[in-house]
Structure formats: structure tokens, C-alpha cells
């Protein structure tokens, strides 16, 4: 079965073609980073307008690359939420219209389910069940994943997401958006430990997180002294280390609590090299294995949406997003198990 995937939930237009027999045939991505850079963050109205411009040309490109015709599609999957309402509506509107015109099912995919299942695009792919650490710009969650649609929330952030801690601290340090890659690059020049930042909730006896205090601590450091380039790099390194320490510790606790041995990391923060090194080292010491999606599918992309849509289609599910209805807020645990 051949599925077109359309991702427009935030600042990336991602389009992909996934075939249930041959795998991923083609994918294309247009990043809006340059468009929003002057504003220091995503401007929702500009994001929507740019998605309108990009979706159809990228779809044509992907079809050509995959050597496929529109008429050969078995379904069109699009991100139905969570995300920016206007941006979601672009992908949903085009996806649902395309499906309708072709007389094929439209599948509204949950963006986080796309992230969660994206490590299955890698080789080797993890077997169910596994623990998933979902670390995107807006979410930090630990889940037990028993299968497609079988998601049990183990813990989540009580305030900011890890990605937000990166993004907000980057702004305080005068770095551009998106903040995660900017902090990671600056941290390469820095030493963790020169500044001391908290490891929030590290010792709490649950699997929840709290990251909003970190940006406050960075703000205090920035206010208290004039930072030179080395100071900023040291602060970035310490911030990255603090976030990674908490994510590693809670992920290992989740593996222990669930008695599982496989950990899957998904979402943009999962692209962070320091986090990957720390997680892999700590998990390996415990005899556990960590799976990551291919680096390009850590951040938002169309492949994960085409893939999640194809899995849902195979399991007989249609129109979870029902036409043009998008859900800017959408609880992952509310998805039907199959
Ligand atoms: O999954 P994603 O692309 O979009 C959402 O669904 O939110 O995640 C974006 C988040 C942003 O907070 C960005 O700063 C962070 O992922 N990010 C990183 C890195 N690359 C992206 N954070 C740390 N290190 C990175 N290399
Ligand atoms: Zn995302």
C-alpha cells in the first residue's frame, strides 16, 4: 500500500511517500528556519502561508522521486494535531481534498505518534514493547509502548519541555532559533561544571520532569555578570549536561519500572549528540538497548507521518482526524489501540 504523508504542524513542511512493501520511497522537507529567524521564533501566520506555498510542489517532487503517480496512492496521511491550528489546517485541507478527489481514505495522524513510531524506520527497528522518551519542542514524555496505539504515559513534564528549555535559554544567551542546535554547537566549545545549574526533579520518586527552573537559572547567570564567549559556551555546556542528566536518569528509571530492555528516543531533542552518547552509555551499562530514528527523522518530517499513516491504514483505521478537523491539543493516550 502506497501512502503520501503530509506534515505541516509547525515550521517544517515535510512530504513523503511510504510503501508498506518497499519502505520509504521518497521524502522532502522545507524548513522555515530562515523565514522566522528575524522574529526569534515561529510566527504562526507566516508558517501557515509558507506551508500553502510548499505542500503541492513538494508533493510533485516526492511523487517524481518515488516514481509514482497520484492515482497509485492508497491513502493520504496528514498531521491532524497537535500543533499550530492554521499550519495544521493547511496540511489537513490539502490532504483531505487530495484523498477525496482520488476516492481514497484520508488519515489524520497524531504528530507525536509519528515521532514515537519513527525509530521503526531505522534498521534495526526495535520490537514492541519498549519505553519511549519523547522529547520534542512542546513535549517531554516517557511512555510504555506495547504496539501501535498502545501507549501508556509513565511520566511527563509538569511545566516546560526539554526542547523549550533549550529554546528559551538560547534566546537568553543571544543565540538564534531553533535553540537546541545552537546550544549544542556552542556547548562544543564549553566545559560543563564551571557553572552549576540544577537537575530538576532528578531525585523525585516519579517519572515526571520539570525544566522551567533551568531557564530561570540561566537568566540569573546572564543577569549577574557580563558573559564573554567562553562563559556563554560553558553555560551552554552545563545546560546541555543538566538536561541530559535528567533525561538519562528518568529514562533508566522507566526501563527499571517497566522491566523493559528497549528504549526508543524520538523528537527533535533526540538529535542532540551529547544526550545520545550519555543515554547509550548508561543504557548499555544496564544491558539495555537504545534506538534512535535516523537523524533526519528526529525533527519534524513527512516520513514519520506517511509511516504512521501506513501502519494505521494496514490496521483498518481511517480518518482519525475526520476531514478538516484538526486538534491543536490532542492527548496521545486517547488514540485507539488496534
Ligand atoms: O520534534 P521537533 O522537530 O518539533 C516539535 O514537534 O516540537 O522538536 C523541535 C525541538 C526544538 O526545541 C529544538 O530546539 C530541539 O527540538 N532540537 C534540539 C536539537 N535539534 C533540535 N535540541 C537539542 N539538540 C539538538 N541537536
Ligand atoms: Zn515534532
Amino acid at each position: 500500500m502506497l501512502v503520501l504523508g503530509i506534515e505541516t504542524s509547525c515550521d517544517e513542511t515535510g512530504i513523503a511517500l511510504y510503501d508498506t512493501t518497499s519502505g520509504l520511497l521518497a521524502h522532502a522537507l522545507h524548513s522555515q528556519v530562515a523565514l522566522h529567524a528575524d522574529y526569534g521564533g515561529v510566527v504562526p501566520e507566516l508558517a501557515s502561508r509558507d506551508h500553502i506555498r510548499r505542500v503541492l510542489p513538494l508533493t510533485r517532487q516526492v511523487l517524481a522521486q518515488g516514481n509514482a503517480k497520484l492515482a497509485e496512492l492508497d491513502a493520504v496521511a496528514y498531521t491532524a494535531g497537535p500543533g499550530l491550528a492554521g499550519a495544521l489546517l493547511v496540511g489537513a485541507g490539502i490532504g483531505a481534498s487530495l484523498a477525496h478527489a482520488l476516492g481514497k481514505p484520508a488519515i489524520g495522524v497524531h504528530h507525536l505518534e509519528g515521532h514515537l513510531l519513527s525509530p521503526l524506520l531505522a534498521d534495526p527497528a526495535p520490537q514492541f514493547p519498549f519505553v519511549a522518551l519523547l522529547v520534542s519542542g512542546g513535549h517531554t514524555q516517557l511512555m510504555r509502548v506495547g504496539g501501535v496505539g498502545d501507549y501508556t504515559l509513565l511520566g511527563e513534564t509538569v511545566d516546560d519541555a526539554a526542547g523549550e528549555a533549550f529554546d528559551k535559554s538560547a534566546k537568553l544567551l543571544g543565540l538564534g532559533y531553533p535553540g537546541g542546535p545552537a546550544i549544542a554547537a556552542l556547548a562544543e566549545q564549553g566545559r560543563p561544571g564551571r557553572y552549576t545549574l540544577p537537575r530538576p526533579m532528578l531525585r523525585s520518586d516519579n517519572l515526571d520532569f520539570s525544566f522551567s527552573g533551568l531557564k530561570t537559572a540561566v537568566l540569573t547567570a546572564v543577569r549577574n555578570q557580563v558573559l564573554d564567549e567562553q562563559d556563554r559556551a560553558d553555560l551552554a555546556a552545563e545546560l546541555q549536561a543538566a538536561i541530559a542528566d535528567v533525561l538519562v536518569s528518568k529514562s533508566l528509571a522507566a526501563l527499571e519500572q517497566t522491566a523493559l530492555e528497549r528504549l526508543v528516543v524520538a523528537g527533535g531533542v533526540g538529535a542532540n549528540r551529547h544526550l545520545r552518547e550519555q543515554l547509550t552509555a548508561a543504557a548499555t551499562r544496564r544491558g539495555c538497548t537504545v534506538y534512535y530514528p535516523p537523524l533526519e527523522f528526529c525533527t519534524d518530517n513527512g516520513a514519520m507521518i506517511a509511516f504512521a499513516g501506513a501502519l494505521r491504514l494496514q490496521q483498518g483505521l481511517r480518518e482519525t482526524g475526520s476531514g478538516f478537523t484538526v486538534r491543536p491539543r490532542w492527548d496521545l493516550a486517547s488514540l485507539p489501540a488496534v
Side-chain angles (χ1 to χ4, degrees):
M1 281 186 284
L2 188 64
V3 179
L4 180 75
I6 302 175
E7 155 63 33
T8 65
S9 69
C10 189
D11 56 349
E12 234 104 49
T13 316
I15 309 285
L17 205 51
Y18 185 84
D19 182 75
T20 48
T21 317
S22 339
L24 189 66
L25 299 185
H27 66 98
L29 188 81
H30 176 77
S31 163
Q32 301 180 351
V33 163
L35 179 72
H36 303 292
D38 285 350
Y39 306 94
V42 180
V43 184
E45 175 68 18
L46 295 183
S48 313
R49 293 182 195 193
D50 200 60
H51 286 309
I52 292 174
R53 281 193 287 269
R54 307 286 172 186
V55 171
L56 288 178
L58 286 181
T59 300
R60 283 190 203 100
Q61 182 184 322
V62 159
L63 286 169
Q65 271 168 12
N67 211 8
K69 296 194 175 57
L70 267 183
E72 292 167 349
L73 294 178
D74 293 298
V76 181
Y78 60 86
T79 305
L84 302 170
L88 288 168
L89 278 166
V90 176
I94 297 176
S97 311
L98 209 52
H100 187 68
L102 295 169
K104 297 288 162 60
I107 304 169
V109 171
H110 194 297
H111 181 80
L112 296 182
E113 179 169 59
H115 275 304
L116 207 60
L117 299 176
S118 62
L120 299 177
L121 284 164
D123 186 22
Q127 301 283 310
F128 296 118
F130 51 75
V131 169
L133 171 67
L134 198 61
V135 271
S136 67
H139 294 83
T140 301
Q141 299 182 328
L142 276 163
M143 318 213 60
R144 183 189 187 280
V145 180
V148 178
D150 178 3
Y151 310 130
T152 311
L153 185 67
L154 303 171
E156 65 182 333
T157 184
V158 298
D159 44 50
D160 286 355
E164 261 174 300
F166 273 113
D167 293 335
K168 290 177 176 172
S169 302
K171 236 181 208 176
L172 294 170
L173 287 169
L175 301 170
Y177 127 92
I183 295 266
L186 185 59
E188 294 287 322
Q189 265 53 257
R191 290 157 297 170
R194 224 195 96 210
Y195 291 90
T196 312
L197 294 179
R199 270 65 174 160
M201 294 181 76
L202 189 65
R203 312 252 165 257
S204 70
D205 56 4
N206 57 27
L207 297 174
D208 288 337
F209 305 88
S210 164
F211 289 107
S212 69
L214 272 175
K215 107 197 138 218
T216 314
V218 170
L219 177 66
T220 309
V222 170
R223 279 217 181 124
N224 282 354
Q225 64 172 117
V226 179
L227 302 180
D228 68 18
E229 195 53 28
Q230 188 59 53
D231 298 332
R232 289 164 68 246
D234 291 344
L235 198 48
E238 173 68 6
L239 176 74
Q240 180 175 260
I243 293 173
D245 283 354
V246 178
L247 292 175
V248 169
S249 160
K250 299 269 170 167
S251 298
L252 290 186
L255 286 170
E256 202 168 305
Q257 185 178 307
T258 54
L260 293 176
E261 289 172 352
R262 287 178 293 272
L263 175 69
V264 154
V265 183
V269 178
N272 187 272
R273 198 173 57 79
H274 175 77
L275 173 66
R276 286 183 170 222
E277 284 170 5
Q278 297 296 309
L279 259 182
T280 301
T284 309
R285 278 197 295 275
R286 298 263 189 112
C288 298
T289 313
V290 193
Y291 297 82
Y292 302 94
L295 208 52
E296 60 188 330
F297 301 145
C298 268
T299 46
D300 291 349
N301 65 86
M304 67 184 194
I305 302 304
F307 179 61
L311 291 182
R312 287 292 185 177
L313 181 73
Q314 275 183 319
Q315 276 139 349
L317 211 95
R318 311 271 142 108
E319 313 227 335
T320 53
S322 64
F324 286 84
T325 307
V326 294
R327 305 180 197 188
R329 288 172 174 273
W330 193 0
D331 179 7
L332 184 61
S334 71
L335 289 184
V338 282

